[in-house]
Amino acid sequence: MTDEIKIDAAGDWLDKLKVSKKEDEKFVKRGKKIVRRYRDERTGWADTTKRYNILWSNIQTMLPALYGKTPRAQVERRFKDQDPVGRTASIIIERALQFEIDHYGDFDASIKAAVLDRLLPGRGTTWIRFESVDVESPETDIEQKDTQLERTCSDYVYWEDFRCSPARVWDEVTWVARRVYLSRKEGTERFGEEFADVPLTHEPIGLDEDKSKSQDDANKKAQVWEIWDKSSETVIWVAEGHSKTLDEKEDPYGLDGFWPCPKPLYATQSTDTLVPIPDYALYQDQADELDKLTNRIHMLVEAVKVVGVYDSSQPSIQRMLNEGVNNTLIPVDNWAAFGEKGGLKGTVDFMPLDSVLMALRECYVARDQAKQVIYEVTGLSDIIRGASVASETATAQQIKSQYASLRLKALQIDVAKYASAILQIKAQLMCDLYSPETLVNMSGIMGTQDAQHVPAALQLIKSEPARSFRIEVASDSLVEMDEQAEKVKAVQQKVEELLPQFMKTFEDDRSGDASQQILSAVAQDQARAIRLADAIELRNADQASSVLRRCSRTSPR
């Protein structure tokens, strides 16, 4: 590519990024305010206004409800039929995925950060990339070859660092981009000596202006945009303030959807734009009302104190208030005059607190009502927050729980699909770019009973689209619901106990054809309906079915 073409391409893409930034301008401004509100950042130490941080409370409730645990990879045969090669290929991919999930923390951290961005500014993004590093073997007497470390990295993308082409829905998007910050050394290692001309436009907050220019450059970084253009199936790298493209490559991964990222987790959207509306924006007026009531309650509490006036000609009254303790009498100089004025009632008077206490009670009631309105808007019912009233019946609590789960379940499905999409991208990168040796070593498949099927399974893994026809990749449930989890666990334990007994029984006692077919179907259905790969693996169901068919053929009946 000539320099003129590089300049034209860089200028075009920088202009497109500016248009995308203009579309996100209101979204970014609003998102920054919401993040500051979540962190309860004040304008200064002089700001003594009391607040009720309902946003922080709601986020801390929703975050574990949407992302309760690290997802586990779930790879299985698409049609659940007897396919030992497909089963072995599924086990290899699943174990390789699970190894990276357990061994590297980026997968869990990126999804958790994306879910938090979804709940706060309204957009969460994760970027998947392939990484291959040469690893030198340690020096020993035995000659060893250098190995290559292959892995798929899950990079969290800050919500301001993601851009895409303006569109109404995600299917209309033609390009996506993310911004990365590179130092002079990092950029030179990646793009060569040409990076020396790239301006370092990003300065960290609090950079000392008195430092020398060389020290400043060590802290500054260049803003580089990685752009994936679906229409031309190319990847372009440009830097802000630089007139030439840094690099351009044809589709490096060959992913089914081209993008190296799933559809972002979006908050409230309409069909006319992809720019989301944060959840907090939908109840910010009620949150402001809650802050005002909290500040007013604070002022009324400060006013609830014993204050009053007394007759200055009676200094004994002051002594009584300042020095009086239990069983102490204060002398009065002129008792007759003191009695004529009505005693204590005639010489001292306290400020009435009835009106203050009444206003305080009303403010507490109004604040509880304001909170209830917010919970109705957000769908956070008492069951989700763990609060209930003793007088409520079990039926009433069940109705509230079902109402709350209507909204919550939709969000949980979005997060589950998001995690599954990431695993699908990672799995495709593994199948297409990993060496067979890496897949075998990661999965440890050669130490299992399926070692005989490994060559055919590796051939299936490397073949496309046959691989997609026979294998599907997803994530398990992300939310641990206590009752459902206990039910599934109980059924799983029962199946684990009964399946070996079924196999032994029908090998020893050959029953009739009908009972054998029924129990064979039960064993198959139970193993397929419940995820038992970790304990008994699906091949046991295949073995059970095979044993039952053998018994059926040799049965006297």
Side-chain angles (χ1 to χ4, degrees), residues 145-163:
K145 295 182 179 180
D146 293 342
T147 58
Q148 198 172 39
L149 176 63
E150 298 170 318
R151 59 168 297 207
T152 55
C153 305
S154 302
D155 296 336
Y156 160 67
V157 180
Y158 183 59
W159 58 277
E160 287 189 64
D161 295 335
F162 177 81
R163 302 274 174 83

Side-chain angles (χ1 to χ4, degrees), residues 494-517:
K494 181 59 66 176
V495 173
E496 291 177 12
E497 294 174 0
L498 293 180
L499 190 56
Q501 297 178 13
F502 284 162
M503 296 174 63
K504 186 176 185 306
T505 300
F506 287 101
E507 284 180 331
D508 298 339
D509 184 15
R510 296 166 182 170
S511 304
D513 296 342
S515 63
Q516 293 165 7
Q517 293 175 2

Side-chain angles (χ1 to χ4, degrees), residues 110-122:
S110 63
I111 296 182
K112 188 172 183 178
V115 173
L116 183 60
D117 282 351
R118 155 63 183 86
L119 295 174
L120 283 174

Side-chain angles (χ1 to χ4, degrees), residues 75-77 80 87 91 524 526-533 536-543:
V75 186
E76 56 189 9
R77 292 164 291 180
K80 316 296 189 299
R87 184 191 65 239
I91 295 173
Q524 290 271 7
Q526 290 289 350
R528 290 168 181 168
I530 306 172
R531 186 63 180 169
L532 301 178
I536 60 175
E537 296 190 351
L538 291 177
R539 66 168 174 272
N540 286 343
D542 294 341
Q543 295 171 358

Side-chain angles (χ1 to χ4, degrees), residues 32 37 80 93 131 181 287 300 324 342 368 385 467 526 539-540:
K32 288 181 178 179
R37 184 67 184 89
K80 316 296 189 299
I93 298 173
E131 184 178 80
Y181 301 91
L300 289 173
D368 289 339
R385 292 182 292 110
R467 178 182 66 225
Q526 290 289 350
R539 66 168 174 272
N540 286 343

Side-chain angles (χ1 to χ4, degrees), residues 1-14:
M1 182 181 294
T2 63
D3 291 344
E4 293 182 358
I5 297 177
K6 284 186 176 182
I7 292 174
D8 292 340
D12 292 342
W13 282 113
L14 289 174

